Amino acid sequence: MKEKLLLAVMLAASFSVGAAEKPLHWGYEGQESPEHWGKLSPDFTLCESGKNQSPVNIHDALRTHHSKLALAFRQGKQQIINNGHTIQVNVSDGNTLSTGKETFTLQQFHFHAPSENEIDGKQFPLEGHFVYQNKEGALAVLALMFQEGEANPQLAKAWQQMPAKIEQAAILTQPVDIKALLPEKFNYYRFSGSLTTPPCSEGVIWMVLKQPVSASDEQIRQFHAVLHHANNRPLQSLNGRVIID
């Protein structure tokens, strides 16, 4: 199961794009839009039938004492890529997330505009997803909301080399300082969910940071101008899931 989940996220998020790879036939518009994902391929059936799907509207969270997030950061080589579905930054080893006894290593981070998850019915203009994986192949996603405000200097480092064409990639001359990109406090909501792209594999730990950071209107428009369409999956039913505060 975990091996399949790892393969799924590699395909869905396009960790690397090779010349011999066939394009993924799903998207956000027309006959390949989210409402059709479950019928596009037998591998995508969870997009339609899954009961623990993401994203969700976070509300009525259960207050409890869940594990604090311990994040470690290491500057290293970063590759930015336009995979046609998002703008993604692949990172080198050394960035980790620990919750209690579990430790996950950051693989990549990417963006959705507008936000996929909502907090008490509020949608944000941009959302970042930091995709982590542990040694067993389980996945955890740390979600960061951006609200319109001052220009974000860390986002600017990535945006200045944002590839305009699909399958274009570049090594960032100024790597994003992930620690500086994230808010000072790591208070978060936690729930069990799925990938928000086909094949919509479940069993993904979601941690949505409560505190948003800023991005300018121009930075948000730059992202839209490159993708040419919104890239957010619609909200999915909780189906009885409990969100932990």
Side-chain angles (χ1 to χ4, degrees):
M1 170 61 187
K2 289 177 179 177
E3 289 79 4
K4 290 182 179 179
L5 185 58
L6 175 57
L7 177 60
V9 78
M10 290 178 71
L11 290 172
S14 298
F15 284 108
S16 61
V17 177
E21 292 180 359
K22 294 181 179 180
L24 298 177
H25 295 291
W26 60 269
Y28 292 94
E29 300 177 302
Q31 294 303 308
E32 296 181 347
S33 60
E35 59 266 33
H36 301 293
W37 286 352
K39 295 181 174 65
L40 293 177
S41 165
D43 295 330
F44 297 173
T45 54
L46 274 177
C47 299
E48 187 172 61
S49 64
K51 300 300 182 183
N52 294 284
Q53 291 289 292
S54 297
V56 301
N57 176 28
I58 297 168
H59 62 91
D60 299 323
L62 179 65
R63 287 190 172 275
T64 186
H65 296 288
H66 55 63
S67 301
K68 290 186 177 180
L69 292 182
L71 298 172
F73 307 96
R74 180 183 296 170
Q75 284 287 73
K77 181 179 177 181
Q78 295 178 354
Q79 178 200 52
I80 189 168
I81 186 168
N82 178 344
N83 62 29
H85 302 132
T86 187
I87 298 299
Q88 178 175 304
V89 179
N90 300 319
V91 302
S92 53
D93 291 338
N95 298 284
T96 60
L97 177 155
S98 298
T99 59
K101 296 181 180 179
E102 290 186 285
T103 298
F104 298 79
T105 300
L106 182 64
Q107 308 297 311
Q108 49 97 345
F109 58 96
H110 61 269
F111 301 90
H112 296 270
S115 72
E116 297 198 299
N117 292 291
E118 296 182 6
I119 300 177
D120 290 325
K122 179 179 180 180
Q123 187 175 48
F124 293 79
L126 183 68
E127 179 176 356
H129 289 169
F130 296 79
V131 181
Y132 289 81
Q133 173 201 335
N134 69 10
K135 292 181 179 179
E136 288 73 41
L139 297 173
V141 177
L142 183 67
L144 172 66
M145 300 299 185
F146 292 81
Q147 60 187 3
E148 187 177 326
E150 296 182 358
N152 190 304
Q154 298 307 318
L155 210 56
K157 293 179 181 179
W159 265 214
Q160 67 181 354
Q161 290 183 255
M162 182 160 47
K165 296 182 179 180
I166 296 173
E167 296 190 7
Q168 274 191 337
I171 301 300
L172 290 180
T173 55
Q174 295 186 71
V176 174
D177 184 339
I178 299 170
K179 182 178 182 179
L181 178 61
L182 296 174
E184 293 184 1
K185 296 183 179 179
F186 297 144
N187 298 330
Y188 66 99
Y189 300 102
R190 176 171 173 156
F191 61 93
S192 177
S194 72
L195 302 179
T196 63
T197 57
C200 307
S201 304
E202 297 183 341
V204 178
I205 299 169
W206 277 86
M207 291 161 283
V208 179
L209 292 169
K210 294 182 179 181
Q211 182 180 346
V213 298
S214 71
S216 68
D217 174 66
E218 181 180 358
Q219 287 177 321
I220 295 165
R221 285 190 287 107
Q222 282 180 303
F223 182 84
H224 280 288
V226 167
L227 283 193
H228 306 295
H229 57 74
N231 69 333
N232 63 307
R233 186 189 190 192
L235 294 173
Q236 304 296 302
S237 173
L238 282 172
N239 292 316
R241 281 176 287 172
V242 175
I243 297 175
I244 303 298
D245 184 344

